């Protein structure tokens, strides 16, 4: 059994992205976006994503629409939808997200967005295959 006090775990992580758990059909990831930072505009063609915000404030940009997000908000991004999440506040924007199917390498840790982008570009952040 895996058990997480997810908000506490997410709040304690200084990393841009950390994969906490990867299953056959889903993956749990925590993220910390620094003030002025963003996830970066992207599309996951075959992956649904559900993001829950733990702390901070930001802007969700999903499918051409914008919405402010804060602690307790949840945003669903269906597969094939262009999206980005931007930190608009003075504090880190902390969240956890569930991908279905997995999107990142199992147990991946990317301390910064630059490190995450480099791992993806080098093919070192590929999800496990069954």
């Amino acid at each position: 059994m895996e058990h997480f006090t997810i908000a506490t775990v997410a709040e304690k992580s200084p990393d841009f992205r950390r994969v906490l758990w990867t299953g056959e059909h889903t993956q749990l990831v925590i993220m910390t976006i620094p003030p002025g930072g963003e996830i970066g505009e992207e599309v996951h063609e075959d992956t649904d994503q559900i993001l829950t915000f733990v702390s901070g404030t930001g802007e969700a940009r999903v499918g051409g629409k914008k919405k402010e997000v804060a602690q307790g908000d949840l945003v669903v991004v269906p597969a094939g939808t262009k999206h980005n999440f931007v930190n608009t506040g003075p504090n880190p924007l902390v969240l956890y997200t569930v991908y279905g199917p997995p999107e990142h390498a199992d147990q991946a840790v990317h301390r910064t967005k630059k490190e995450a982008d480099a791992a993806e570009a080098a093919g070192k952040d590929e999800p496990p295959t069954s």
Side-chain angles (χ1 to χ4, degrees):
M1 172 196 305
E2 296 289 336
H3 175 269
F4 302 99
T5 305
I6 194 63
T8 302
V9 172
E11 281 283 352
K12 289 182 178 180
S13 176
D15 301 314
F16 174 74
R17 179 169 49 225
R18 177 179 291 271
V19 175
L20 290 182
W21 179 83
T22 301
E24 184 177 348
H25 303 287
T26 58
Q27 184 174 61
L28 176 62
V29 176
I30 54 177
M31 297 187 75
T32 299
I33 304 166
E38 62 183 80
I39 289 175
E41 191 172 88
E42 59 188 359
V43 175
H44 306 299
E45 291 297 337
D46 300 315
T47 303
D48 293 322
Q49 187 175 5
I50 299 169
L51 302 96
T52 303
F53 296 86
V54 173
S55 64
T57 56
E59 183 176 76
R61 300 174 183 172
V62 180
K65 297 179 183 175
K66 294 180 182 181
K67 177 82 175 164
E68 293 298 314
V69 292
Q71 180 180 0
D73 287 345
L74 182 145
V75 176
V76 175
V77 180
T81 304
K82 186 183 296 185
H83 61 281
N84 191 8
F85 295 87
V86 179
N87 184 340
T88 59
N91 299 310
L93 179 60
V94 179
L95 63 100
Y96 62 92
T97 183
V98 176
Y99 294 96
E103 180 67 18
H104 299 285
D106 189 28
Q107 299 182 15
V109 176
H110 302 122
R111 293 183 187 1
T112 64
K113 180 173 179 357
K114 183 177 179 180
E115 188 177 301
D117 290 345
E120 288 178 21
K124 295 181 180 177
D125 190 34
E126 296 299 315
T129 56
S130 41

